[in-house]
Amino acid sequence: MKEFNINNLLRDNIKNLKPYSSARDEYKEVSGDMVFLDANENPFQNGVNRYPDPQQLKVKTQLSQLKGISPEHILLGNGSDEVLDLIFRAFCEPNEDKIITLPPTYGMYDVLANINAVENIVIELEIDFQPNVDDILRAANSQTKLLFLCSPNNPTANSFESEIIEKLITSFQGIVIIDEAYIDFSSEKSWINRLQEFPNLIVTQTLSKAYGMAGIRLGVCYASEGIISILNRIKPPYNVNELTQLRALERLSQPEDVSEEIKRIIEQRDWFISELEKISFVQIVYPSDANFVLVKVDDANKRYSQLINKGIVVRNRTNQPLCENCLRFTVGTQMENIKLIKALKGL
Ligand SMILES: *Cc1c(COP(=O)(O)O)cnc(C)c1O
């Protein structure tokens, strides 16, 4: 790509922003017993009476060891949804700038575009669920600030080919966001290992899926120090609460437990796929690099309601492009998966 200068992509108000300085920002880890009378907190200890660390340094340090990425390249948010919203607010001028998304994909990109009054240019995936590089680059111009690549993609469950991703990162003149919510289930490598090569790359991950912590809301953003420092300036100061930080630390310190669960989910996924292929009204079981499976059936609306009547909720994706009559099944526990397969066989 041409000489990359982040200032050419940032909104003017963000370039000139003077961030809110919280009471705790002024105190920098002084050792010894300090008396904190700076933030109008209640002094009686109950575990959460103090404001949380706005920089979540302990969690970042833990993540940094796990992923081999230094803390200056990490930003944490209240779920990836907050991280994605911060990216919009940093780079997209309302009613002026645009983004590019590749449906069928995660619905939040379009919702966030609408909330931020940013036009979403839609370039559908090819029939094999890979991005069409030429169409994307043809649609790109100086106003298309963000390109969202979800890999493995939700709801199609495939990863994008790495040559295609690389071509897009190097040719697209804005910021490329790779949403790796499902990377831990994938056979592909994470792009966080290549951040140094691509100054316009942002990679997002989450503790909501493989890490089993959707309830605590913790999203992770990896990018250049320049991008991270900008997002840091616009994030709400205490966006990751103390309970979330504590639970995340606990979980991140037991990576073997997480790996074991991932292994079991993948085993279940592969069993589940082989069983789905035996069901008479199943037409296509798409390969999966994630913890869910996209399945084309004879009549998605009918099968969806039949499953609801049997007490099983799945996701009906029939109205998404390229997903006519498709259902998306999350891989559950062995018992849940057996229950679903039995229910499908009985329809
Ligand atoms: C589930 C999911 C997320 C997770 O969002 P959180 O806000 O971190 O829970 C992000 N991206 C995609 C594509 C997802 O499917």
Side-chain angles (χ1 to χ4, degrees):
M1 89 185 297
K2 280 187 282 183
E3 193 61 38
F4 180 80
N5 184 347
I6 189 98
N7 280 321
N8 298 337
L9 294 173
L10 275 181
R11 291 168 66 200
D12 286 335
N13 62 319
I14 301 297
K15 255 182 260 178
N16 303 324
L17 184 73
K18 192 174 168 295
Y20 171 75
S21 163
S22 65
R24 273 312 117 72
D25 281 341
E26 289 167 20
Y27 146 79
K28 299 274 184 232
E29 290 288 346
V30 188
S31 55
D33 281 337
M34 307 292 285
V35 177
F36 290 108
L37 301 175
D38 57 344
N40 300 348
E41 297 148 331
N42 178 325
F44 298 106
Q45 298 296 333
N46 62 17
V48 290
N49 60 311
R50 298 294 177 186
Y51 279 102
D53 173 8
Q55 280 305 319
Q56 311 100 14
L57 209 58
K58 287 189 181 140
V59 181
K60 283 185 191 169
T61 304
Q62 190 88 261
L63 262 177
S64 138
Q65 283 162 7
L66 218 54
K67 304 277 178 173
I69 302 282
S70 70
E72 302 75 50
H73 293 269
I74 305 177
L75 174 117
L76 302 180
N78 186 359
S80 338
D81 292 345
E82 184 186 45
V83 169
L84 297 173
D85 190 51
L86 290 172
I87 298 169
F88 271 90
R89 285 156 58 192
F91 297 104
C92 297
E93 195 59 40
N95 300 309
E96 194 175 304
D97 287 332
K98 302 172 187 187
I99 63 160
I100 300 180
T101 65
L102 317 179
T105 193
Y106 188 43
M108 274 311 283
Y109 314 137
D110 187 57
V111 172
L112 290 168
N114 283 327
I115 292 171
N116 288 286
V118 170
E119 186 187 333
N120 178 13
I121 300 177
V122 160
I123 311 280
E124 282 183 20
L125 293 175
E126 297 282 281
I127 201 80
D128 61 355
F129 299 144
Q130 293 293 327
N132 182 322
V133 175
D134 292 338
D135 283 358
I136 294 167
L137 294 179
R138 242 195 311 277
N141 59 35
S142 63
Q143 285 179 324
T144 50
K145 294 291 181 66
L146 310 175
L147 167 62
F148 286 90
L149 306 179
C150 185
S151 183
N153 186 40
N154 178 5
T156 57
N158 65 306
S159 295
F160 296 160
E161 286 169 22
S162 57
E163 300 76 37
I164 291 182
I165 294 183
E166 182 157 351
K167 173 80 183 145
L168 287 169
I169 303 172
T170 50
S171 310
F172 184 70
Q173 297 295 310
I175 303 278
V176 175
I177 298 107
I178 306 182
D179 183 339
E180 292 189 339
Y182 300 99
I183 191 69
D184 298 290
F185 302 108
S186 168
S187 46
E188 298 287 318
K189 277 215 198 68
S190 168
W191 286 81
I192 61 173
N193 304 307
R194 304 193 57 189
L195 283 172
Q196 309 285 356
E197 289 170 61
F198 308 116
N200 63 331
L201 175 61
I202 295 181
V203 178
T204 62
Q205 297 183 357
T206 178
L207 266 64
S208 296
K209 307 286 159 63
Y211 282 79
M213 309 205 93
I216 69 169
R217 313 302 303 127
L218 191 67
V220 190
C221 172
Y222 300 93
S224 70
E225 275 190 69
I227 293 178
I228 293 298
S229 75
I230 287 152
L231 298 178
N232 252 322
R233 282 199 292 165
I234 62 180
K235 81 174 183 67
Y238 303 114
N239 62 328
V240 179
N241 73 66
E242 182 70 15
L243 299 175
T244 295
Q245 295 192 39
L246 290 172
R247 289 297 296 268
L249 267 177
E250 229 175 82
R251 187 69 165 156
L252 292 170
S253 67
Q254 326 257 315
E256 331 68 49
D257 294 1
V258 178
S259 309
E260 178 59 27
E261 288 181 9
I262 293 169
K263 203 178 104 208
R264 286 166 62 183
I265 291 168
I266 291 175
E267 277 167 14
Q268 277 298 303
R269 174 188 78 197
D270 296 344
W271 173 82
F272 189 49
I273 287 175
S274 65
E275 289 298 307
L276 283 166
E277 283 164 347
K278 300 178 193 160
I279 308 235
S280 61
F281 57 83
V282 164
Q283 296 178 351
I284 306 176
V285 182
Y286 292 99
S288 172
D289 222 12
N291 66 334
F292 57 87
V293 185
L294 189 73
V295 180
K296 190 186 275 296
V297 296
D298 55 346
D299 181 343
N301 293 333
K302 173 174 145 192
R303 301 306 176 187
Y304 176 83
S305 339
Q306 287 177 323
L307 286 172
I308 291 284
N309 290 335
K310 295 199 171 204
I312 300 175
V313 187
V314 301
R315 193 89 157 123
N316 186 353
R317 297 282 78 184
T318 190
N319 293 325
Q320 296 288 305
L322 309 178
C323 293
E324 197 184 9
N325 283 317
C326 286
L327 299 174
R328 191 192 70 193
F329 300 118
T330 304
V331 179
T333 62
Q334 185 174 35
M335 253 166 64
E336 290 170 331
N337 303 331
I338 290 173
K339 191 173 168 195
L340 173 60
I341 291 294
K342 278 196 178 142
L344 290 169
K345 284 183 175 161
L347 297 184

